Amino acid sequence: ESALTQSPGTLSLSPGERATLSCTTSQPVSSNFLAWYQQKPGQSPRLLIYAGYSRAIGVPDRFSGSGSGTDFTLTISRLEPEDFAMYYCQQHETFGPGTQVDIK
Amino acid sequence: QVQIVQSGPEVKKPGASVRISCLASGYNSITYAIHWVRQAPGQRPEWMGWINTANGNTKYSQKFQGRVAITRDTSTRTVYLELMSLTSEDTAVYYCGGTRCSGGTCSSGVPYTWVDPWGQGSRVTVSS
């Protein structure tokens, strides 16, 4: 089974800044099996991106997914106050360790 | 719009079993499948398995094979997760969530791996 890593572990940014979150798989994976989630404390995860780059219904267009092979990226073009949260990538059924986006 | 509602919190003793329910409304059973994912405190989500509500097919994580069962009641559109031989390591929030299937129908397609929408979660505490 392919292992997943996410970097950085914590990202400290200010509102309005651009956030770039990385997800790396140990073996190449089709982007069809790559998804990104946002989770806030005490809440259920929320699907942001599926099949590598498709935005889920209701997700603002400041969120975008890209990448291929073993390296995938979630980009938040301009951070809004509600975007400070934990972000997980998922490859097939495996979830990564997450990146915490904190307010600087 | 699909909505998912789960059963309430559970407290169990080690060695016991727990059964959690998941009621999904607003969807056609041939176009949706249900995943179960758990999340221990401070940990990443962990996938447990799925059920194709159209035909009852299931797939389980190898980690839980043999002590987990996912079933469905088509008359009430309710899906159940049963986890047996509980230990303190099973203390977690258990989520169910929907997904669609390849080819647009779960009658012949395979459930996608992403989960959307998610239920509110069911907290399970295992303690003596």
Side-chain angles (χ1 to χ4, degrees):
Chain A
E1 186 177 283
S2 181
L4 272 182
T5 58
Q6 290 187 242
S7 61
T10 302
L11 193 54
S12 296
L13 295 168
S14 301
E17 289 194 292
R18 182 184 187 89
T20 303
L21 288 66
S22 295
C23 177
T24 301
T25 63
S26 60
Q27 300 173 25
V29 61
S30 165
S31 61
N32 288 334
F33 298 103
L34 201 289
W36 290 92
Y37 300 85
Q38 176 193 70
Q39 188 176 30
K40 298 178 181 179
Q43 295 185 17
S44 307
R46 171 198 179 196
L47 178 69
L48 298 174
I49 301 290
Y50 65 95
Y53 56 85
S54 297
R55 267 189 302 275
I57 293 172
V59 175
D61 60 7
R62 62 180 180 273
F63 290 92
S64 63
S66 62
S68 63
T70 59
D71 296 298
F72 298 87
T73 300
L74 174 70
T75 302
I76 311 171
S77 58
R78 286 178 58 85
L79 282 164
E80 297 287 341
E82 63 267 28
D83 299 336
F84 292 92
M86 177 69 86
Y87 291 84
Y88 295 102
C89 66
Q90 178 197 21
Q91 169 247 320
H92 287 281
E93 295 94 351
T94 302
F95 289 85
T99 290
Q100 178 70 46
V101 178
D102 285 341
I103 298 178
K104 190 173 181 181
Chain B
Q1 184 176 345
V2 177
Q3 291 191 314
I4 293 180
V5 177
Q6 300 181 222
S7 52
E10 301 268 6
V11 179
K12 296 292 182 182
K13 293 195 181 302
S17 299
V18 67
R19 190 189 195 208
I20 306 166
S21 68
C22 170
L23 174 61
S25 60
Y27 77 98
N28 187 323
S29 64
I30 67 168
T31 59
Y32 256 84
I34 297 291
H35 285 279
W36 284 94
V37 176
R38 77 178 188 180
Q39 189 172 30
Q43 301 300 310
R44 72 184 80 177
E46 181 176 33
W47 178 78
M48 300 182 71
W50 56 247
I51 186 165
N52 183 331
T53 57
N55 54 29
N57 288 346
T58 55
K59 179 181 177 182
Y60 300 119
S61 165
Q62 281 193 332
K63 175 175 179 176
F64 301 101
Q65 199 85 32
R67 71 179 187 107
V68 68
I70 301 175
T71 57
R72 80 199 199 283
D73 181 335
T74 55
S75 66
T76 61
R77 293 187 170 230
T78 302
V79 171
Y80 299 93
L81 171 78
E82 183 173 18
L83 186 63
M84 296 155 271
S85 302
L86 294 169
T87 71
S88 59
E89 308 272 298
D90 295 314
T91 293
V93 176
Y94 289 73
Y95 296 100
C96 68
T99 195
R100 296 193 179 273
C101 296
S102 59
T105 172
C106 293
S107 295
S108 55
V110 176
Y112 290 124
T113 53
W114 56 80
V115 182
D116 182 51
W118 293 63
Q120 84 276 19
S122 301
R123 184 173 301 277
V124 174
T125 303
V126 183
S127 175
S128 55

